[in-house]
Each structure stands twice: as C-alpha cells, then as structure tokens.
Amino acid sequence: MSKYAFGVDIGGTSVKMGLFDEAGNVLDKWEIPTVKDNKGSAILPDVAKSLLARMKEKGIREEELMGVGVGAPGPMDDQGTLLSGAVNLGWEPFNIPEKLGAYIKVPIKAANDANAAALGEMWQGGGKGYDSLVAVTLGTGVGGGVVVKGKILVGADGAGGEIGHVHIEDEETECCNCGNKGCLEQYTSATGIVRLAERYLAQTDVPSVLRDKRVSAKTVFDAVKAQDAAAMEIAGQFGDYLGKGLAMVSGVINPEIFVIGGGVSKAGEILLSYIEPYFRKYAFGKCKETKFALAQLGNDAGIYGAAALILL
Amino acid sequence: MSKYAFGVDIGGTSVKMGLFDEAGNVLDKWEIPTVKDNKGSAILPDVAKSLLARMKEKGIREEELMGVGVGAPGPMDDQGTLLSGAVNLGWEPFNIPEKLGAYIKVPIKAANDANAAALGEMWQGGGKGYDSLVAVTLGTGVGGGVVVKGKILVGADGAGGEIGHVHIEDEETECCNCGNKGCLEQYTSATGIVRLAERYLAQTDVPSVLRDKRVSAKTVFDAVKAQDAAAMEIAGQFGDYLGKGLAMVSGVINPEIFVIGGGVSKAGEILLSYIEPYFRKYAFGKCKETKFALAQLGNDAGIYGAAALILL
C-alpha cells in the first residue's frame, strides 16, 4: 500500500500545499488564498476542505495518508501550539494539530514556517545528506531555523534560530524592527544590504554603477559580478557581518552545514564566496570547516518541511 | 530491587566517582589518581577496578547497576567516541564505552566533561526543574554546555557549547589561546577579568582598593561588594561582554535558563546582577525573560552529569 503525506505552508496571502510520497517526491502542488477575515477562522477549514477534495480526486483513502504537516508563521512549541498567535493570519494562540484535526482525521503535526523550511532544506534541498544544519533566510528580514539530529530546535519561547536578531554591531545608532540596535538583520537582509550600500556610497567618492540607479540587494550583487569596486566593498561588509554572526552560531551549536536561502541568495555562489572567508576568520578551531550551501527549494521549502514533519 | 548508577568524571589529576541511586541521590563519592603514563592506558582499567571494588564492598550486584556514565575532556560524539583524543590524559581517539566495557559488563555512556557538568546542573543543580539550559563555566577559560530537551547538544565536531570562543570584540589586538582575537573568554574568564581590570586601572586615575594588591577575579568582586567605583566599572564591562554573548546564545537556541558556574561564580548573586541587565539589553524580544541561576554542584557537577547519562 503506497503511503502519502501532505505538506501545508500557511502564509499571509496564500496557503501552499503539496502531496508527497514516502520517498519525499512531490506528486502534486497547489495553493489556495488565505482568508484572514474573522481572525482567520476559515483558514484551517479551507485547508481541510482542499486536502479532502484532493484525496477524493486522487483516490487516496485516509488509511493511506501518513499525516498532514503544517507550517505557519509565529512562535510555536514542539507540540504545534502557537505561543503568541500568528499576527499575519489574525490567529490567537491555539494548538494547530488539534484544531485542524477536527476536520481531517489523520496524524497532524505543526511547526513554525521558518523552522519547517529549514527541515525541508535538510530533507530534500541544500542540506540533503546532513542531519544538523542551520538554515539562514536572507529576505526582507533575516530568519533562521536550526535542525539538530533531524529535529527542529524550537527553543523555550519558540525563538530558537532567531539569528536575525543576534547582536553584531555596537556602534549602530538606528533601531532594528525588534527595537534593539545592531542586529544581524540590519546589515544582512535585503534591506540591510541597501543600508550598507547607501552608507558606503554617501561616505566615499568611489565611482560605481550603483550611483546611477535605485540600489537593491540584486543590483549590489549584479555589480559585484561586474567587478564594481564599491559593490565589492559593500559585499565585503555584508560578508563580514554575516560570517561573524554565523561563526557565533557555530560556536554555540556547531552544525554540519549552513544553508543560505531567501531572496538575497538568488545572487548565487558568489554570495557564499563573500561569507565563507569571514566565517573562517571568526569561527572557533574545529568549526572553521563547517560547510556552506545555497538553499535549493525556494518557496517550496515550507511544504517540503511540513511534509517532513510527518515523513522523517 | 533498588537500582544504582555510577558517575565517573575523569580529570587530568584525579578521577572523581560517585554512586547514585535512581532518584539522583549521591550515596558515596571518592576519587583515585589519574595515571597518565603510557598514553593514559591504565586510566580506564583503574576506573573499572575501583568501581568493581566499591560494588563488592557495598554488596551491589551487576544486575542492580543501571550503568556507568563517564565524563572526560576532549570533543566527543554522542556515542562517546573521542573525536581527537584527550590531550590532558594522553588519550588517542577511541570509543570510551567500548573500551571501559571490556572491564565492566554494564551499560556505559560517555560525554565531554563540560557537557556532562551542564547535564548535572540541569538534573540536580542550578537548573533543576528545567530541561533546556546553557551552563556557562567561568574559570581559567570559559566553557559551556548546551542541553536541549534533556539531551546534550554535542555538535558536528563535538564543539557544541564552545561559547568561550564566540567572537565578541572587533577591536581586540591580543590573541586568545585559540588563535582568534576578541573571544568571549578574553573578557569573562577569571584571567579575562584580570585583563579588563589591568587595562582599566592603567587607563584611568580612579582611586581603587585594587591598585594596592594583586588583582584577581575574586579581588575585583570583593571590591564590588565594598562599592569600589573602579571595581564596579570593571564588573560592568565584564557584564556587558557576558550579557551580550549570552544574548547571542539565546537568539540561537533560546534556552529556558542560563546556569553560571566556575571559580568566578563564587562571587555569588552579585555576579548575576552584573550580567542580567546587559543580557536583557541585547536579547531579542521574547528571550529577554530567560532565567539565570548560579551553579550549585561545584566540582561534583561532572559526576552528577555522568550519572545522569544513565539515569535520565
């Protein structure tokens, strides 16, 4: 009897869903809109309805389904209980497996979406073959997920892997979104890279293609690829901050590999060439050889990781 | 039938041993000298001999013994295999449970001594009642041990919890013992505190009782207790560094509690009053309320933790 699992990734705009076989192949994927009205009370019923319809369509019986894994935003404990709700969805704190289980009678597990994405990358993405990794998502902010021996490290308050808010710079004068000053996110997120670039361009006269246009993380790394001296200097600052931050992370949990994802990682391998040397400069002895890879699953990491909650 | 476990803590000078009941009470403890000749080849046979003699003396049969836990220096994987030997003991890499098991036929587990001590503090010491903690040992160096959900976080290279070598200061000009510059250990170990004090006293004219004598971590905190302004400033620098370092740690693994031990912690609660405010300054939102406690088991943490490998 073949066995299946669903991976569900609930976002503020849409819910992504995937049907997986036991070996981790995605057999089908689709999405539905996230209906946030009435404190998001329709979201889980909508998910269940969509999953049950897909089962009917594919002729999958409940006893063939190993379970449903769910990733959702917001800090969550390892039982899938939201610790302080999910602001983006309008959700108050509750236990996701329990609530979804009212509509679909199979084993259900849930995890924070960033943590699930880390697990997904370990299972079928950039961290395949490893069982302890730190996934770093360089997007609008900087997120992270820690997996140790194949299990998500949730943390006492669901704040495990919140590496975007590791303190990295004593001299910062502007506040991070979190209220602190000098967080890793302020220098290594897409917006952080723009900040670094704007500061550098304002403080120097170095000629640069970046002076002619609106600066983004993409234009910075495109300019790096074109050997633009200013862009290379800015990328070096980015790499110093991120390498230093990840060296700290490695001194605490000593993962096998760092998997770098998020929009900024679209720059490709050149990004790693700006992180790894700084990482090795700051890392403790035996951690210096920790591996680095780019994330491979993109926006599908969440559904893979959610399915992995069931299949791993 | 009552059940027992032995906890064995192998150090460079002596091997500490304890007999524990299932509830975690220590019924007996003693030590034997560590014989390091011939690459330390006598150490494990000596341990076995001593344990078997104690069993005979107490009338404990092998079937009443749940096992023997061993803590030893050097990076170790979670199977108790030394990854690069134990320099202090003259040991090459080998699997401790396998080798000790040749002499005593009960279940055996082994862990790095600092990690075992962290587990001991969780089980019966300053972290009792919690199941995820970071133990910080402020001694000649700064060591650490991370316990997540009751399990030691070993790390890919046995470097989990090596928080003494987290990078904390960009401006440092002197090298740490590890070869890097600006490690947490350079400011928060007993010797690090002396360095901070000597720098501060050389750079200022602030009158201080510390100017009249040989400075140590103890004299600094004794002077703090006597409201010596210079000592309080130095303690503030120490607290800023350690609070910042532990805030980083909490951003990565978000433990329930930090347990502070080692020689420096003999200063008592006043030490925590210099760490916690800085920790809260730098920590990420929900981590700010992480608890702090002093270690309680002193030099016995190792035997407690070793026994916990078996009894927990």
Side-chain angles (χ1 to χ4, degrees):
Chain A
M1 185 172 66
S2 53
K3 291 277 196 173
Y4 305 96
F6 286 117
V8 177
D9 182 17
I10 304 177
T13 310
S14 67
V15 181
K16 295 187 183 64
M17 288 181 258
L19 172 66
F20 292 80
D21 67 18
E22 233 178 325
N25 301 302
V26 60
L27 305 176
D28 191 12
K29 58 182 188 178
W30 70 102
E31 47 187 272
I32 61 173
T34 305
V35 179
K36 290 184 285 189
D37 309 338
N38 295 318
K39 294 188 173 176
S41 60
I43 298 174
L44 289 180
D46 285 352
V47 165
K49 212 175 300 172
S50 181
L51 296 178
L52 291 166
R54 196 61 49 134
M55 286 168 70
K56 194 168 177 189
E57 180 194 318
K58 300 267 180 191
I60 296 173
R61 286 165 294 133
E62 267 189 9
E63 57 270 30
E64 289 177 301
L65 198 63
M66 295 172 70
V68 178
V70 179
M76 218 179 283
D77 71 14
D78 56 4
Q79 303 301 306
T81 298
L82 286 160
L83 297 173
S84 51
V87 184
N88 291 347
L89 307 178
W91 284 358
E92 310 275 347
F94 63 81
N95 180 268
I96 293 177
E98 200 178 296
K99 192 163 273 190
L100 182 58
Y103 307 104
I104 178 166
K105 306 289 179 199
V106 296
I108 299 172
K109 290 185 180 172
N112 167 270
D113 52 1
N115 288 339
L119 190 63
E121 286 290 344
M122 185 201 84
W123 187 41
Q124 298 293 349
K128 194 167 180 173
Y130 297 92
D131 78 349
S132 82
L133 66 76
V134 174
V136 181
T137 305
L138 306 174
T140 314
V142 172
V146 176
V147 180
V148 176
K149 300 267 160 197
K151 300 279 176 211
I152 291 169
L153 194 160
V154 168
D157 309 290
E162 281 286 4
I163 60 176
H165 300 284
V166 156
H167 179 85
I168 201 85
E169 173 59 80
D170 289 340
E171 308 299 327
E172 183 59 55
T173 54
E174 294 174 23
C175 277
C176 177
N177 289 329
C178 79
N180 289 348
K181 287 178 183 168
C183 293
L184 186 59
E185 176 166 305
Q186 289 184 282
Y187 313 96
T188 61
S189 63
T191 43
I193 293 168
V194 171
R195 261 167 41 98
L196 286 179
E198 286 172 349
R199 283 187 182 180
Y200 180 81
L201 294 172
Q203 285 163 9
T204 70
D205 293 326
V206 180
S208 170
V209 296
L210 296 172
R211 294 192 185 276
D212 310 328
K213 50 184 151 190
R214 194 185 153 89
V215 176
S216 68
K218 183 176 186 320
T219 61
V220 169
F221 279 98
D222 284 348
V224 167
K225 288 172 191 166
Q227 305 273 312
D228 182 277
M232 290 163 78
E233 175 62 31
I234 294 159
Q237 292 179 12
F238 156 86
D240 192 322
Y241 280 117
L242 189 55
K244 192 190 297 177
L246 298 184
M248 290 167 184
V249 172
S250 90
V252 181
I253 58 157
N254 184 206
E256 294 173 290
I257 187 168
F258 287 99
V259 176
I260 314 292
V264 174
S265 73
K266 289 182 185 157
E269 292 288 335
I270 201 165
L271 190 77
L272 303 186
S273 76
Y274 274 93
I275 303 169
E276 291 190 59
Y278 292 102
F279 173 82
R280 284 196 287 274
K281 173 182 168 191
Y282 294 112
F284 177 56
K286 357 176 208 204
C287 304
K288 285 187 194 290
E289 298 311 313
T290 307
K291 293 182 179 58
F292 280 78
L294 293 170
Q296 292 178 358
L297 301 177
N299 291 332
D300 288 345
I303 57 170
Y304 273 93
L309 292 173
I310 301 296
L311 293 172
L312 266 190
Chain B
M1 185 172 66
S2 53
K3 291 276 197 173
Y4 306 95
F6 286 116
V8 177
D9 183 18
I10 304 177
T13 309
S14 67
V15 181
K16 295 188 183 63
M17 289 181 259
L19 173 65
F20 293 80
D21 66 19
E22 233 177 325
N25 301 303
V26 61
L27 306 175
D28 192 11
K29 60 182 186 178
W30 70 101
E31 48 187 273
I32 60 173
T34 304
V35 179
K36 289 184 285 188
D37 310 339
N38 295 318
K39 295 187 172 177
S41 60
I43 298 173
L44 289 180
D46 284 353
V47 165
K49 213 176 297 171
S50 182
L51 295 178
L52 291 166
R54 196 61 51 132
M55 286 168 70
K56 196 168 176 188
E57 182 194 316
K58 301 266 179 191
I60 297 172
R61 286 164 294 132
E62 266 189 9
E63 57 270 29
E64 288 176 303
L65 198 63
M66 295 173 70
V68 177
V70 180
M76 218 179 284
D77 70 15
D78 57 4
Q79 302 302 305
T81 298
L82 286 160
L83 297 173
S84 51
V87 184
N88 291 345
L89 307 178
W91 284 359
E92 310 276 346
F94 62 82
N95 180 270
I96 293 176
E98 198 179 298
K99 192 164 272 191
L100 182 59
Y103 307 105
I104 179 166
K105 306 291 179 197
V106 296
I108 299 171
K109 290 185 180 173
N112 168 270
D113 51 2
N115 289 340
L119 190 64
E121 286 290 343
M122 185 200 83
W123 187 41
Q124 297 293 349
K128 196 168 179 173
Y130 298 92
D131 77 350
S132 82
L133 67 77
V134 174
V136 182
T137 306
L138 307 173
T140 314
V142 172
V146 176
V147 180
V148 176
K149 300 267 158 194
K151 300 280 175 211
I152 291 169
L153 193 160
V154 167
D157 309 290
E162 281 286 3
I163 60 175
H165 301 283
V166 156
H167 179 85
I168 201 86
E169 174 58 82
D170 290 339
E171 308 299 325
E172 183 58 55
T173 53
E174 293 174 24
C175 276
C176 178
N177 290 327
C178 80
N180 290 348
K181 287 176 183 168
C183 293
L184 186 59
E185 175 167 306
Q186 289 184 280
Y187 313 96
T188 61
S189 62
T191 44
I193 293 168
V194 171
R195 261 167 40 100
L196 287 178
E198 286 173 349
R199 283 186 182 180
Y200 180 81
L201 295 172
Q203 286 162 8
T204 70
D205 293 326
V206 181
S208 171
V209 296
L210 296 173
R211 294 192 185 275
D212 310 328
K213 50 184 151 190
R214 193 185 153 90
V215 175
S216 68
K218 182 176 186 320
T219 61
V220 169
F221 279 97
D222 284 349
V224 167
K225 288 171 191 168
Q227 305 272 314
D228 182 276
M232 290 163 78
E233 174 63 30
I234 295 159
Q237 292 179 12
F238 156 86
D240 193 323
Y241 280 116
L242 189 55
K244 192 190 297 177
L246 298 184
M248 290 168 185
V249 172
S250 89
V252 181
I253 59 158
N254 184 207
E256 294 173 290
I257 188 168
F258 287 100
V259 177
I260 313 291
V264 173
S265 73
K266 290 182 184 157
E269 292 288 337
I270 199 164
L271 190 76
L272 302 185
S273 76
Y274 275 93
I275 303 170
E276 291 190 59
Y278 292 102
F279 173 82
R280 283 197 288 274
K281 172 182 168 191
Y282 294 111
F284 176 58
K286 4 180 201 202
C287 304
K288 286 187 194 289
E289 298 310 314
T290 308
K291 293 184 179 57
F292 280 78
L294 293 170
Q296 293 178 356
L297 302 177
N299 292 331
D300 287 345
I303 57 170
Y304 274 92
L309 292 172
I310 300 297
L311 293 171
L312 266 190

